[in-house]
Amino acid sequence: MQSNLIPGLLGGAAGAILGYFIPRLTTEVVSYKCHQRGKPLPERELPQWVKPLCALILGLFSVSTLLSASGPLLCVKAIYAIFFAAAALTISLTDCSIHLIPNEGVLLLLGTGIVYRLLFEGWSGLLNALCTLGLAILIFGGSSAIFYVWKHQSGLGAGDLKYVFAIAIIVGTSGAVDFLLGMAAAILAYVFFGMQTYRFRMTDYFPMAAHLSCGFLLALVAPYLAEDLTLFGIAH
């Protein structure tokens, strides 16, 4: 474990620095999408506390993934996970700012996810990812269709669905349960605290990318956390 401690801490510091600049990257993405669609920039900028929050999230995520990464191949796999986490944070902040998930970000995740699957699991891994994609289409596409018939409005936007499909390719069947649990916990927490502070009503709609990203991050980091606990002797 000691041999991985220093790289893990250095990786965590690098992840924190990257996370600190994600809000600035988000601002550039928002500016680009608003210009592309001929819409004005949002009146409210991201709060200043978002910078340290992103730094904390990505820093801790980087430490967790790199701490148990023994060997060059596992280090590369961990770096892929950190990239996915950074992309998820950027997509979430963009959706919170302009209620839009950029197609470019989803396509980048999708393309990188396919390479990730092929690199670390081969064709069987890609087949597994496609099976997970089919499950995601069934669950999220089906629930959105039912909601449309019931309310004559889509429960999930097209961007949300495309984001879910990209996530499904990356996490595969092994991460599907973690993804659903993380997403559900984030939604329940948002609704609960929103209702407690009178900022949310059950008839309200809200950007979904952040909640999807919570499940995504949990599915990415869960295998590494299990390894980390074993390394520290907490689990066997």
Side-chain angles (χ1 to χ4, degrees):
M1 198 275 288
Q2 292 180 349
S3 61
N4 291 342
L5 183 58
I6 293 178
L9 293 176
L10 290 175
I17 294 172
L18 174 61
Y20 186 83
F21 287 100
I22 280 179
R24 179 179 294 182
L25 173 62
T26 301
T27 300
E28 296 298 324
V29 173
V30 168
S31 177
Y32 166 73
K33 295 305 293 185
C34 288
H35 177 74
Q36 183 187 57
R37 300 168 74 88
K39 293 185 176 181
L41 292 171
E43 296 180 1
R44 296 177 59 185
E45 296 183 353
L46 291 170
Q48 288 299 312
W49 56 262
V50 174
K51 291 181 179 179
L53 178 62
C54 288
L56 178 64
I57 291 173
L58 201 58
L60 291 176
F61 186 94
S62 301
V63 170
S64 300
T65 53
L66 289 169
L67 199 60
S68 58
S70 56
L73 189 61
L74 290 179
C75 284
V76 172
K77 188 174 184 179
I79 291 171
Y80 264 97
I82 295 167
F83 167 77
F84 293 143
L89 289 174
T90 305
I91 287 173
S92 299
L93 292 178
T94 302
D95 192 33
C96 288
S97 296
I98 56 175
H99 293 190
L100 175 74
I101 296 179
N103 288 328
E104 296 87 346
V106 174
L107 288 173
L108 179 61
L109 272 181
L110 182 61
T112 312
I114 291 173
V115 173
Y116 171 79
R117 278 283 166 185
L118 287 172
L119 181 61
F120 294 104
E121 297 183 21
W123 291 106
S124 61
L126 185 58
L127 180 61
N128 174 284
L130 291 175
C131 291
T132 312
L133 175 60
L135 181 63
I137 292 173
L138 180 64
I139 294 175
F140 289 93
S143 61
S144 187
I146 293 171
F147 193 85
Y148 182 81
V149 172
W150 179 37
K151 289 283 190 179
H152 300 290
Q153 290 178 327
S154 177
L156 286 175
D160 297 323
L161 288 173
K162 286 182 281 189
Y163 186 33
V164 168
F165 298 158
I167 291 172
I169 290 290
I170 294 167
V171 303
T173 53
S174 61
V177 173
D178 291 324
F179 166 66
L180 292 173
L181 288 175
M183 179 193 68
I187 292 174
L188 289 174
Y190 179 85
V191 171
F192 175 77
F193 288 109
M195 293 182 71
Q196 291 297 312
T197 56
Y198 302 100
R199 295 180 180 180
F200 177 81
R201 296 173 298 176
M202 292 304 292
T203 54
D204 289 346
Y205 289 89
F206 50 86
M208 274 292 294
H211 306 95
L212 296 172
S213 293
C214 286
F216 187 22
L217 293 179
L218 179 60
L220 288 171
V221 81
Y224 296 97
L225 287 177
E227 290 290 334
D228 294 343
L229 293 175
T230 302
L231 289 173
F232 284 103
I234 299 174
H236 299 283

